[in-house]
Amino acid sequence: SAVISQKPSRDICQRGTSLTIQCQVDSQVTMMFWYRQQPGQSLTLIATANQGSEATYESGFVIDKFPISRPNLTFSTLTVSNMSPEDSSIYLCSVDRTEKFLYNEQFFGPGTRLTVL
Amino acid sequence: DQQVKQNSPSLSVQEGRISILNCDYTNSMFDYFLWYKKYPAEGPTFLISISSIKDKNEDGRFTVFLNKSAKHLSLHIVPSQPGDSAVYFCAASFISNFGNEKLTFGTGTRLTIIP
C-alpha cells in the first residue's frame, strides 16, 4: 500500500481567504484524487489530478474554486479559494494502487479538517 | 441523487457475534464494489472488494456478498472484535467518461462493538 501524508492536518480559516492543501505519496502513482467529506455526508469526489495535464472536475466543482496542481508523480495540491462556511469539510486525497483503467482499491491520506468561520 | 445508500447510520453488535452492514446501489453501471473502514481523524482504509462477476468474496473475518439482481451488497464481520468499531463506507466503481476509475461512496455506517 502507499503511504500518503497531507498538510495541514487541520486549519481554521476566515471567510474569503484561501487554503492550499498538500498531498505527498511515498511512491510514484499515475492518478491522484481529491475528495470532500462534509459533516454527516459521504465522501464526494472533487476532481482527478493527472500528472502533466489539467485536472478533471466532477459535476458541481470548478477549477476557479478548487484549483489543483500535480507537478510530479508523488505530489499534488488542492486549493480551496474564497472560502465560505459551507466549505467546512474534511478534504482527502487518495491514490490508485496500480495501473489506470484497472479496477483496484484507492488508498487515502489522513485528511485535512477545514473549518471556515 | 444518492447512487450508493447505506440506510443504517449506526449499528451496535456484541463482541464475538456477527456484524452485518448493508449497502444498496441504484446505478446498474457499477461493476466493482469496495468496503472501507474509517477511524476518527484518519483517512478511510481499504477493507475488501468484489467485482460484479462474483457473488461472494472472503478475506479472514470479512466476507462481502453481492446480489446484483437486488443491487445490494453486504459486509459480514465474524467474529466481531472491539477494534472493528469504526465507520464503514460502501463504495462502487465503474470506468467514467474520462476513462478514470471513479468511486461513489455511501454515507457510512458507524459500527460499535460492545465488549
Side-chain angles (χ1 to χ4, degrees):
Chain A
S1 64
V3 177
I4 305 167
S5 60
Q6 284 185 236
K7 289 182 182 179
S9 58
R10 58 175 62 220
D11 207 342
I12 300 173
C13 301
Q14 296 295 323
R15 179 197 297 263
T17 62
S18 297
L19 176 72
T20 295
I21 302 167
Q22 300 179 6
C23 180
Q24 179 76 53
V25 190
D26 68 341
S27 57
Q28 293 185 341
V29 293
T30 305
M31 297 171 68
M32 297 177 76
F33 305 87
W34 286 99
Y35 287 83
R36 177 174 76 180
Q37 185 186 14
Q38 293 179 302
Q41 305 287 319
S42 63
L43 287 80
T44 302
L45 181 64
I46 297 171
T48 302
N50 306 306
Q51 198 271 332
S53 64
E54 294 269 327
T56 50
Y57 288 82
E58 297 300 307
S59 175
F61 298 96
V62 294
I63 188 171
D64 289 346
K65 176 67 176 177
F66 297 102
I68 286 171
S69 79
R70 182 82 198 273
N72 58 53
L73 291 173
T74 63
F75 187 78
S76 177
T77 67
L78 169 77
T79 299
V80 186
S81 304
N82 188 24
M83 288 184 284
S84 66
E86 292 71 36
D87 294 319
S88 298
S89 286
I90 298 173
Y91 291 85
L92 299 119
C93 73
S94 74
V95 304
D96 265 355
R97 185 182 66 166
T98 57
E99 295 299 312
K100 189 176 176 179
F101 300 120
L102 293 181
Y103 290 123
N104 53 75
E105 59 271 20
Q106 292 179 13
F107 296 96
F108 284 82
T112 296
R113 183 179 292 274
L114 171 61
T115 303
V116 184
L117 303 177
Chain B
D1 174 35
Q2 190 71 27
Q3 297 185 59
V4 178
K5 301 177 185 178
Q6 294 176 256
N7 292 319
S8 299
S10 64
L11 175 69
S12 294
V13 174
Q14 204 78 32
E15 180 179 0
R17 307 292 282 268
I18 184 171
S19 296
I20 300 176
L21 296 99
N22 293 304
C23 178
D24 297 291
Y25 61 97
T26 57
N27 191 336
S28 57
M29 288 181 65
F30 290 140
D31 56 7
Y32 191 68
F33 304 89
L34 309 90
W35 284 94
Y36 283 84
K37 179 169 73 173
K38 186 180 186 300
Y39 293 119
E42 295 183 14
T45 55
F46 170 75
L47 203 54
I48 192 169
S49 63
I50 188 168
S51 91
S52 60
I53 62 173
K54 294 185 176 181
D55 54 19
K56 176 183 174 182
N57 188 28
E58 190 172 352
D59 183 3
R61 296 186 299 114
F62 303 92
T63 303
V64 55
F65 295 92
L66 175 63
N67 182 336
K68 289 187 290 295
S69 60
K71 294 191 176 69
H72 176 85
L73 65 154
S74 61
L75 173 69
H76 293 210
I77 306 173
V78 57
S80 300
Q81 300 174 354
D84 296 329
S85 295
V87 176
Y88 289 78
F89 289 96
C90 169
S93 177
F94 65 99
I95 298 293
S96 75
N97 291 337
F98 297 103
N100 300 334
E101 177 183 318
K102 172 177 172 169
L103 289 181
T104 301
F105 283 85
T107 51
T109 297
R110 181 178 300 278
L111 175 65
T112 302
I113 305 302
I114 304 165

